[in-house]
Amino acid sequence: MSASPQDIAGKRCLYTGETFQEAFRVLGELRHGEAPVPSAANPDQVLLEAHVLLNLLESRNIYTRYPLGIIAVHPAPDTIGLQVESLERATEILFNILPAYGPDGELHGVPGLRITRWHKTAIELHLLGQPARLRLSGLPHRLWRQAEAGTPSKWIDPAEMRLCWRSSPTTYTTVERGRRNMWEDLDDDYTQTIRRGAWLSSGLLRRVALLHTVSNTSVADGYLALDHVALVVRSSHVRGQGPGPHHIVAALLDPAFGLPLRVARFRGDTDESYGADQHFVLRDQAGTAALDLRASTDKTPSRMDDTLWRSISRRLPTRGFTSPETGPLAVLDGVGAP
């Protein structure tokens, strides 16, 4: 028996964090055969989303109500929308993705990324000369202005920084052009490896709500491994309160909503009631990318404000992606490591 439109919309909400009404409307507009969580339609969009996710993951020691500060994702083939949780997080995101460089010429952020439109509750960003787009929402117009204005203060010496989106709003700076040329050098092994595996980071960003909808994740961060193939995601989970990280794995392997991955190995006790750390490695068949999910169970982080911790506790899911009867750990049969 095929799933009803209501069931499909409800399932999409788990991946995107959208409201049921949003998911139902979007699914109703999809053409026949389109995926319920669409992939990015062009390589430039894929690369942009991959860089955005890495910047979100690398913002370490920043505790937020929602993992990575993202409440919901709104994916479309030619763009992606991220709904942020607060002004503080919006400022951090803009600081990490808008391009800037200092006297040493080292570029930070995504070269060519510019704020191109201001809306009542959102801003749009584009890559110069490319179709890649990003929409950030969740705050009123004046707070987005405040977030953009607050990014320079996060540099140790703001006066020495060249803020590319302000100094060169319609063209690439020389430093940006040099970095962009590195990404586009298809003869370079590093560039080829990054481009081949970017689909994983893009696909995970489009499903990043799984961290808080199907699992009791309290904190998440990560980085790209030295081989540029494995995306390492480290997460902390609340012991004894709802579903755990294995539900993220089960959701990512869903044939309709997930990603083309398989479990290569895992370590640890898959029953989180024992409090053991869990380590999953998921790979695609072609070996272009790997998701290295390192999950631990923790008590309240000592550096987290009590008010923030209470707000996290209130949004923790009480049940997981699958019921016990369906065997969420069946995906692990036949794999593992001693």
Side-chain angles (χ1 to χ4, degrees), residues 134-296:
L134 169 67
R135 181 184 176 96
L136 300 177
S137 66
L139 300 175
H141 177 85
R142 65 177 181 83
L143 291 187
W144 280 116
R145 290 286 184 182
Q146 188 174 334
E148 187 276 337
T151 54
S153 65
K154 292 189 171 294
W155 294 106
I156 296 176
D157 191 347
E160 292 190 350
M161 298 305 298
R162 177 85 176 269
L163 309 178
C164 304
W165 76 96
R166 291 185 183 178
S167 64
S168 185
T170 60
T171 60
Y172 281 86
T173 63
T174 302
V175 172
E176 287 179 291
R177 193 174 296 111
R179 175 67 69 83
R180 181 189 175 192
N181 290 340
M182 289 176 56
W183 290 358
E184 295 182 346
D185 182 4
L186 299 182
D187 293 328
D188 181 73
D189 290 341
Y190 167 82
T191 300
Q192 291 180 8
T193 301
I194 292 293
R195 283 182 169 269
R196 280 197 300 267
W199 65 269
L200 175 59
S201 295
S202 171
L204 190 59
L205 180 63
R206 288 169 173 253
R207 295 162 176 81
V208 76
L210 290 174
L211 291 173
H212 71 262
T213 59
V214 307
S215 178
N216 57 9
T217 309
S218 56
V219 178
D221 64 21
Y223 54 92
L224 194 63
L226 292 176
D227 61 5
H228 311 305
V229 173
L231 176 66
V232 180
V233 177
R234 303 181 302 187
S235 58
S236 295
H237 301 264
V238 187
R239 183 176 179 178
Q241 293 192 38
H246 52 275
H247 289 88
I248 299 174
V249 174
L252 287 175
L253 299 183
D254 184 87
F257 288 80
L259 294 169
L261 297 167
R262 59 183 178 84
V263 179
R265 71 185 171 95
F266 73 95
R267 292 178 185 269
D269 197 323
T270 53
D271 183 353
E272 69 166 1
S273 65
Y274 290 99
D277 291 350
Q278 299 174 41
H279 183 191
F280 304 88
V281 177
L282 287 71
R283 300 181 184 276
D284 69 315
Q285 195 67 37
T288 64
L291 176 60
D292 188 332
L293 179 60
R294 305 175 184 182
S296 61

Side-chain angles (χ1 to χ4, degrees), residues 33 61 111 159 195 220 308:
N61 299 320
R195 283 182 169 269
L308 176 57

Side-chain angles (χ1 to χ4, degrees), residues 91-104:
T91 306
E92 288 285 347
I93 292 173
L94 291 178
F95 170 74
N96 281 313
I97 65 175
L98 288 173
Y101 62 91
D104 60 358

